Amino acid sequence: MRALAITNQKGGSGKTTTAVNLAAALGEKGRRVLVVDLDPQASATTWLRVKNVGKGVFSIFVENENIVDIIYSTDFTGIDVIPSSTWLAGVERALAGEIGAETILRRNLECLPADRWDYVLMDCPPALGLLTVNALAAAREVLIPVEAHVMALGGLAQLLQTVKVVKERLNPELEISGILACRVDARTRHAQEVVEQLRDRFGDLVYNVVIRENVRLAEAPSFGQPITLYDPRSHGAEDYRALAEEIIVQERSR
């Protein structure tokens, strides 16, 4: 079971878009995926049409709920969800001063049957706080979506430093699976230059595929469908299927 934290502290970088659509593309290819929604906005939960979740993932952090009891199936092939709720906004206050708070999610995920899912995709909030640290402590890999804008590159160094610290102190197995250029507008030279900068600085860590700016991709959440179903022939569906192929190729080295 591969556990990936999908994270970037910058909002609008494509974390939830990547979590949902990568899950759908992997599901199409026969992989079983568990999406863990760690964002208090619960966007992935809503997008995947999971309702009436109570406190969702908050309950395993604060109320010692059995993680198996908060896993929900979805209408989409191969995808299950551990949902979020607005309760999650208060988790840092609720856990202030608690010893071992950074590893609550890891301890819970270790209780799951190892052969039930092929992938666990953790959709992190846009902050480098306790929830993101929990995801990094629980994951084996980090997938970093980066908006193709020069301002997005500045925060990448801070995120990489956080990954390094978590690796040293909490999770020595943590590795960067890849950096994904998102919202790439092929019509602008600026976006192409940002992708080139990423490749120059990080080399093979940058995925070959880029996620192109796509209106249909932006519309898909409103219709409660991954892009692979909402518009299977769109650039967005094509790009996320290509990303799934790259992710699957990595299986051989994991």
Side-chain angles (χ1 to χ4, degrees), residues 150-168:
V150 69
M151 295 298 291
L153 297 179
L156 188 53
Q158 183 183 0
L159 174 57
L160 294 175
Q161 179 60 29
T162 300
V163 171
K164 180 182 177 183
V165 170
V166 172
K167 180 179 174 70
E168 291 172 350

Side-chain angles (χ1 to χ4, degrees), residues 26 29 240-250:
L26 288 168
K29 297 177 187 300
Y240 276 107
R241 288 187 178 116
L243 175 63
E245 290 285 1
E246 284 198 64
I247 296 282
I248 288 170
V249 166
Q250 291 176 329

Side-chain angles (χ1 to χ4, degrees), residues 85-207:
S85 72
T86 54
W87 280 86
L88 205 56
V91 73
E92 298 215 17
R93 188 184 317 113
L95 295 175
E98 180 162 330
I99 296 172
E102 299 87 352
T103 58
I104 291 173
L105 181 61
R106 180 170 71 192
R107 297 196 301 270
N108 276 272
L109 291 180
E110 286 172 348
C111 296
L112 296 177
D115 59 349
R116 183 168 173 184
W117 295 278
D118 301 297
Y119 288 85
V120 176
L121 302 182
M122 292 169 254
D123 182 24
C124 297
L128 295 178
L130 180 61
L131 291 168
T132 296
V133 170
N134 260 271
L136 295 175
R140 293 289 184 89
E141 304 170 52
V142 186
L143 193 164
I144 305 174
V146 179
E147 183 183 3
H149 191 285
V150 69
M151 295 298 291
L153 297 179
L156 188 53
Q158 183 183 0
L159 174 57
L160 294 175
Q161 179 60 29
T162 300
V163 171
K164 180 182 177 183
V165 170
V166 172
K167 180 179 174 70
E168 291 172 350
R169 300 181 182 179
L170 292 172
N171 185 3
E173 297 180 334
L174 187 64
E175 300 290 346
I176 296 173
S177 177
I179 297 170
L180 177 66
C182 293
R183 304 189 66 181
V184 177
D185 189 340
R187 299 168 298 178
T188 68
R189 181 60 191 160
H190 175 74
Q192 299 304 314
E193 288 174 347
V194 171
V195 174
E196 289 169 10
Q197 288 182 51
L198 283 172
R199 297 199 191 283
D200 287 343
R201 287 181 60 185
F202 300 105
D204 292 342
L205 278 179
V206 182
Y207 287 109

